[in-house]
Amino acid sequence: MRPTILPPSAILAAALTATACSASFTTSQPVPHPQIHQQHDLHHWGVPGGNYSGITHIGSSRYALVSDKEDFNGWHEIDISFHPSGDIKHVEYICFHGDTIADVGARDAEGIVYVDNSVFISAENDQQIIEMDMKGRATLRQLEVPPCFGTTKIFGNCGFEALAYDRSQGIFWTTTEQGLRHDIEARTSVKNPVPTLLRLQSFGADLQPLAQYAYRTDAPQTTHATKYYGYGVPSMTVLNDSTLLVMERELYMPEDYDGSACFIKIFSVNTRHLTPLTDTTSLRLMPDSCFAKKELLVEFTTTVTRHGNKDYANYEGMCLGPLTKSGRQTLILVSDSQCRQATEHFQMKDNIRVIVL
């Protein structure tokens, strides 16, 4: 079933019906809250363990996944069937599409979008967004990334993760996980618990840059001492020709995972109300009014404790799924398990879950 992209008014239409009962009063139904379905372990259906960081719909019931620590450049194809409620019914692993012969070194693939019988994949290690055909071969086409996003301009491991595509307008969207070196004094961390400042970059159908817009994340929630900490924007997707969905993620993991937590927030941004900026504009000096206005759609937390909850999942990718039987839009999220990394008490899983908007 091919996902249908509808404007928010149409997505929520069934819940916004107002009926004039008499000349004296009107009744209306409340707007439905997003519904978060349970997590599913892809390993349950035979999907190989990976570092799944991006997902996109490629037609019919097929989806493409990218993993950020592959031996070869390429992407995985899966088939997903859904219940009428929007929850996942079954996943079938199809194959890996890529060049498994050429010894060129795999990219740190993070985001993926489907565009006219090809896919574009973003990577942090080279800060490039390149096109691959449906057999996983590079086409030699790529987005013309502005120099301000170069590998020397980012903090380590804080480059391009998010990638989105607006099919109705032929517009690509990307941003870095954390702010550029000339935009922030230091990356957000446990010792520097401040929001990060980002540049939302758009590109046209000709693959050339269009415009940049300022975006500020929410402040981090934790100051726990931890072995590993992650923060920023790992994923974006386009809801319709004016709405961009932005995922903000924060995670911390102690040595033995006990007490680990991952906080996920998904915001909507109206792209028609953004203020353009230049490569040299200082985000530190910009007034609040120039940053993107965002609306929180949904948030949730996954955790792990040695003798309690073990639903921890580091979500890094998302894309639109099909409509539910009642006509609501679904959003599919995938997590990075570090190839099902484990300790004595806990094993990470390649989780996939659906949110009904």
Side-chain angles (χ1 to χ4, degrees), residues 21 34 70 92 125 157 163 165 186 193 212 217 226 233 250-251 288 294-295 300 306 313 325-326 334 342 356-357:
C21 298
E70 291 290 342
E92 179 183 357
N125 62 328
N157 202 36
L163 183 63
Y165 181 66
Q212 288 179 19
T217 62
T226 182
V233 171
E250 179 185 7
L251 63 88
D288 290 345
K294 60 186 188 180
E295 178 182 353
F300 64 90
R306 182 170 300 177
K325 184 177 181 180
S326 62
V334 293
V356 180
L357 300 179

Side-chain angles (χ1 to χ4, degrees), residues 138-158:
T139 67
L140 304 182
R141 292 206 316 157
Q142 62 185 61
L143 301 187
E144 191 63 35
V145 175
C148 69
F149 291 103
T151 55
T152 62
K153 310 296 185 181
I154 63 172
F155 287 94
N157 202 36
C158 292

Side-chain angles (χ1 to χ4, degrees), residues 51-282:
N51 299 264
Y52 298 119
S53 52
I55 183 170
T56 190
H57 179 245
I58 59 175
S60 185
S61 57
R62 301 295 178 92
Y63 293 80
L65 292 169
V66 284
S67 177
D68 61 26
K69 292 183 179 65
E70 291 290 342
D71 293 328
F72 304 96
N73 287 317
W75 50 277
H76 300 266
E77 182 177 351
I78 60 175
D79 186 286
I80 307 177
S81 58
F82 299 84
H83 292 289
S85 65
D87 197 8
I88 292 174
K89 181 178 182 181
H90 182 79
V91 177
E92 179 183 357
Y93 183 76
I94 306 301
C95 66
F96 176 76
H97 298 278
D99 188 349
T100 60
I101 299 177
D103 184 18
V104 297
R107 305 169 69 225
D108 180 11
E110 298 286 356
I112 183 170
V113 292
Y114 175 74
V115 184
D116 300 330
N117 208 36
S118 69
V119 295
F120 282 78
I121 299 174
S122 59
E124 281 186 316
N125 62 328
D126 59 17
Q127 282 296 94
Q128 295 179 2
I129 302 170
I130 68 169
E131 183 184 46
M132 304 190 83
D133 65 22
M134 300 309 287
K135 293 184 177 180
R137 300 171 300 194
T139 67
L140 304 182
R141 292 206 316 157
Q142 62 185 61
L143 301 187
E144 191 63 35
V145 175
C148 69
F149 291 103
T151 55
T152 62
K153 310 296 185 181
I154 63 172
F155 287 94
N157 202 36
C158 292
F160 288 147
E161 287 209 9
L163 183 63
Y165 181 66
D166 180 351
R167 185 170 291 106
S168 66
Q169 300 186 84
I171 294 177
F172 296 84
W173 290 91
T174 191
T175 192
T176 49
E177 184 177 9
Q178 288 209 32
L180 301 176
R181 288 183 178 274
H182 72 274
D183 285 328
I184 59 175
E185 295 182 1
R187 76 177 79 195
T188 301
S189 66
V190 173
K191 296 182 179 180
N192 184 43
V194 298
T196 196
L197 309 179
L198 303 176
R199 294 171 181 265
L200 303 180
Q201 175 70 57
S202 62
F203 299 83
D206 60 359
L207 312 186
Q208 298 300 306
L210 286 178
Q212 288 179 19
Y213 309 95
Y215 182 94
R216 178 188 283 111
T217 62
D218 277 10
Q221 301 182 52
T222 182
T223 55
H224 287 70
T226 182
K227 177 184 178 181
Y228 183 74
Y229 181 81
Y231 176 88
V233 171
S235 186
M236 300 191 301
T237 196
V238 172
L239 181 61
N240 55 51
D241 63 3
S242 65
T243 305
L244 185 66
L245 301 185
V246 181
M247 176 192 291
E248 295 186 19
R249 175 210 55 190
E250 179 185 7
L251 63 88
Y252 63 90
M253 301 180 69
E255 183 74 35
D256 61 356
Y257 291 1
D258 187 25
S260 296
C262 182
F263 307 100
I264 299 293
K265 294 181 179 181
I266 298 174
F267 296 91
S268 66
V269 174
N270 189 325
T271 59
R272 294 179 180 174
H273 297 161
L274 297 175
T275 303
L277 53 93
T278 67
D279 291 4
T280 58
T281 304
S282 173

Side-chain angles (χ1 to χ4, degrees), residues 36-58:
I36 304 174
H37 283 297
Q38 64 179 325
Q39 298 180 150
H40 300 277
D41 184 0
L42 287 171
H43 188 67
H44 172 75
W45 292 297
V47 178
N51 299 264
Y52 298 119
S53 52
I55 183 170
T56 190
H57 179 245
I58 59 175

